[in-house]
Each structure stands twice: as C-alpha cells, then as structure tokens.
Amino acid sequence: MHELILGGQKSGKSRTAEARAAAWLQAGAGREATLVATALAGDEEMDRRIQRHREERAARVPGLATVEVPQALPEAVQRLAAPNRLLVVDCLTLWLTQLAMPLHGPAADEAALAAQRSALCRALAQAGGPVVLVSNEIGLGVAPMSREARRFIDALGLLHQAVAAACSRVTLMVAGCELTVKGRA
C-alpha cells in the first residue's frame, strides 16, 4: 500500500509518516524502514533545520534509516523498495524544488518535470513494498504574483495528482489532525 500525506507547514505530515514507519517496524520481525530525505541546505538556517530533523527523527523512530536523495528520487524508490521495507519520502515539495529551482545549474523545463513525474509514478507502481510520501499542499491560497511561483505551484499540483492516483491512500493533515481523502481510515 502506498500513501500520500499532504498538508501545510507544521501540519503534522512528517510526524504522521514517522508514526507509520514506527508502526511498520513494530508489526513484525525482519521489517525495515528507510526515510528518503530530499532536502538540500542552501543556507545556515536550512542546515540547522535539517540537522534538528535528523536528531528528532532518530529519537522518535530509532530504527528508521535515512538516505539523502535530493534529485534522483525515482531511481532511489526503485533501488530501495522491498517487501520487508517501508519507504518514507520526505518530501516531494523539496524534491520538486531541486528540479524546478535548483541551487546550482539550470532549472528543469516542463518536459523534464513531466518525465520525472512519470518516472516517479512508474517507480511507485513497481515498488515491491509500501511507500509513504509526504508533500506540502501549497495550492490552496491566492495565485502568487511571480511567474516562477505560479509555475512551481502548478507543477506541484500536477505532481500531487499523479502521485495520488498511484497511491491507495491519500491523507490530508490539518492542525495535526488526519483527514482521509482516499482509501480507508
């Protein structure tokens, strides 16, 4: 079973995904869980934030391994997915940021973004074990003034639609509360 967990900043998305990983690990011997982290530190504050997340995650879910994959997400899902391993991808928003607005190098064009979206959905379809994907729902507000921001919001919305179609469960987090959008609660 694959699940997409959406929500705003500090809505409880990551904690919910971590709780899924903890429950998976406790459900039987021989199980593994791996966090596929997509963040890159572009400044000191982000570096501190990433380090804090690592420390807090290790305390909350000691058995959760971490692999940092800022761009090659479809390949990582293909490589890491296994029947005895739950993958937690945190998060799709930052992954898309690395592609659409990279710190270094050119931004991916629309065709490249569509290809990456398709590759991720293929990887999910072929994944031999459960995958929990986390992403920010940022498309609920007014349209921003900048062309780049509108392009990003559109690309993220298309990514969410495609990934939601590939998942048997979609959960929306609001103020720490889970709302089941698709699948069983």
Side-chain angles (χ1 to χ4, degrees), residues 66-126:
T66 300
V67 176
E68 295 186 4
V69 182
Q71 290 189 338
L73 183 58
E75 297 84 356
V77 170
Q78 288 176 329
R79 184 178 74 254
L80 296 169
N84 67 324
R85 181 182 300 130
L86 177 124
L87 296 181
V88 175
V89 175
D90 197 353
C91 77
L92 293 178
T93 312
L94 291 174
W95 173 64
L96 183 64
T97 300
Q98 315 312 342
L99 299 173
M101 298 180 286
L103 293 173
H104 308 287
D109 63 15
E110 303 310 315
L113 292 177
Q116 285 293 308
R117 184 172 59 240
S118 294
L120 178 59
C121 290
R122 278 193 307 277
L124 290 171
Q126 296 168 1

Side-chain angles (χ1 to χ4, degrees), residues 1 3 20 168-171 178-185:
M1 177 182 101
E3 179 178 10
R20 303 278 196 268
S168 56
R169 182 174 173 165
V170 177
T171 301
E178 293 183 38
L179 300 170
T180 301
V181 177
K182 176 182 175 183
R184 288 181 281 160

